[in-house]
Amino acid sequence: MADIQVTLQGDKILTLPARITVREALAKFLSNKQRKQTVAAIVDGQSVDLGAVLDKDAVISPILIDSDAGLEILRHSTAHV
């Protein structure tokens, strides 16, 4: 399996195995507290859920629950309940 380059917010770069999920990639970058506050991510400019698979080089940025985008995601998700 090939490796990919994953960049966190244009700052830290790691080489990770291809087909890793966004959740697994963020676990390599973020503290436990930050991971618990993350509800989704932006990958190469697109919002994705944490189960999205990374199969090519990517720039990722977590969406935290206390951000405007995070609150919108929370509201959307709870509307389905």
Side-chain angles (χ1 to χ4, degrees):
M1 187 177 299
D3 288 335
I4 59 173
Q5 296 285 325
V6 179
T7 305
L8 178 67
Q9 301 171 333
D11 194 26
K12 302 176 192 172
I13 300 173
L14 291 177
T15 300
L16 300 171
R19 306 288 306 156
I20 193 169
T21 65
V22 171
R23 177 182 287 108
E24 293 166 331
L26 286 173
K28 305 289 185 185
F29 288 104
L30 303 176
S31 70
N32 190 43
K33 182 178 178 180
Q34 290 170 314
R35 286 194 314 272
K36 287 180 180 180
Q37 296 173 348
T38 302
V39 294
I42 298 174
V43 176
D44 294 333
Q46 298 284 354
S47 294
V48 299
D49 70 38
L50 298 175
V53 175
L54 302 173
D55 54 6
K56 63 182 178 94
D57 294 351
V59 176
I60 62 176
S61 177
I63 298 174
L64 303 180
I65 191 70
D66 61 356
S67 68
D68 289 341
L71 184 57
E72 183 177 326
I73 290 167
L74 177 65
R75 287 178 177 153
H76 175 84
S77 297
T78 57
H80 292 278
V81 176

